[in-house]
Amino acid sequence: DAKTTQPPSMDCAEGRAANLPCNHSTISGNEYVYWYRQIHSQGPQYIIHGLKNNETNEMASLIITEDRKSSTLILPHATLRDTAVYYCIVRENFNKFYFGSGTKLNVKP
Amino acid sequence: KAGVTQTPRYLIKTRGQQVTLSCSPISGHRSVSWYQQTPGQGLQFLFEYFSETQRNKGNFPGRFSGRQFSNSRSEMNVSTLELGDSALYLCASSPRPITTNEKLFFGSGTQLSVL
């Protein structure tokens, strides 16, 4: 099973880039890496996903290493509203998500 | 377009009772999956329904069951409630069955407290 390891918490100054790392050393070739975030008392919100190439959308960028064993989510200009728990996820199989414990990102003024 | 709607938002029950939670997916989405979230265990997959059929099930006892209607709305039932069933129950929808390249859209959840 491909599972993920993330730091339990990180701090970031408002306006600066937030770089959230994720280790997924047992990922298999056809498993995508997904990032979701969860603000307190709400459901997880999709951010971005990728297979092997770097990806960018209006919310964030995803950098996946060449060996695919780790990735980094980049929030280019963090705001206070980005304070949340960020989950790095790989598919356990074709039908299930495995959510780890995530990283609590604290954006400070 | 309306998002995923879960009702009720909060629920308080006592041990031994049963409970039914409801999830209305985004219009046009035919897959609904359910998750249990607790501080100790994190977010765990319960089951997925697509076109009224259960496609996959996680490692939960038979007290946890679900169904999906022809309009894609889904219900989850928990019978003989235990204290450990206290959790945030989330549902998520997607247009197609969950595959490796499918985004999920989550509702805000139902917070169940068992006393």
Side-chain angles (χ1 to χ4, degrees), chain B residues 5-112:
Chain B
T5 303
Q6 290 189 248
T7 56
R9 185 72 179 90
Y10 300 95
L11 207 48
I12 299 175
K13 292 286 188 179
T14 56
R15 279 182 300 174
Q17 287 187 308
Q18 77 164 21
V19 67
T20 299
L21 312 182
S22 179
C23 174
S24 293
I26 292 172
S27 177
H29 287 195
R30 295 165 62 194
S31 169
V32 174
S33 50
W34 288 88
Y35 299 82
Q36 182 196 67
Q37 187 174 33
T38 59
Q41 297 294 321
L43 206 149
Q44 299 184 86
F45 172 80
L46 281 154
F47 30 66
E48 181 205 2
Y49 285 87
F50 181 81
S51 294
E52 303 178 62
T53 301
Q54 187 181 88
R55 298 186 72 245
N56 281 284
K57 191 174 182 348
N59 281 336
F60 280 81
R63 299 185 296 108
F64 292 81
S65 63
R67 59 178 175 167
Q68 187 179 35
F69 302 95
S70 58
N71 62 358
S72 295
R73 189 177 72 85
S74 177
E75 288 182 346
M76 190 190 87
N77 186 76
V78 187
S79 62
T80 320
L81 283 166
E82 301 176 0
L83 295 179
D85 296 333
S86 295
L88 179 66
Y89 289 88
L90 293 157
C91 79
S93 77
S94 61
R96 291 165 292 276
I98 301 175
T99 63
T100 57
N101 193 21
E102 195 67 61
K103 292 185 285 188
L104 297 184
F105 298 84
F106 284 85
S108 295
T110 293
Q111 183 67 54
L112 173 65

Side-chain angles (χ1 to χ4, degrees), chain A residues 30-34 36 38 40-47 49 87 91 93-101, chain B residues 9-10 35 37 41-43 45 48 55-58 88 90 98-109:
Chain A
N30 60 349
E31 288 182 312
Y32 282 75
V33 178
Y34 281 76
Y36 281 76
Q38 188 172 25
H40 183 62
S41 299
Q42 297 182 23
Q45 176 192 23
Y46 167 83
I47 301 173
H49 74 288
Y87 294 99
R91 299 284 186 166
N93 59 31
F94 277 80
N95 300 306
K96 301 174 190 177
F97 275 113
Y98 172 80
F99 279 72
S101 53
Chain B
R9 185 72 179 90
Y10 300 95
Y35 299 82
Q37 187 174 33
Q41 297 294 321
L43 206 149
F45 172 80
E48 181 205 2
R55 298 186 72 245
N56 281 284
K57 191 174 182 348
L88 179 66
L90 293 157
I98 301 175
T99 63
T100 57
N101 193 21
E102 195 67 61
K103 292 185 285 188
L104 297 184
F105 298 84
F106 284 85
S108 295

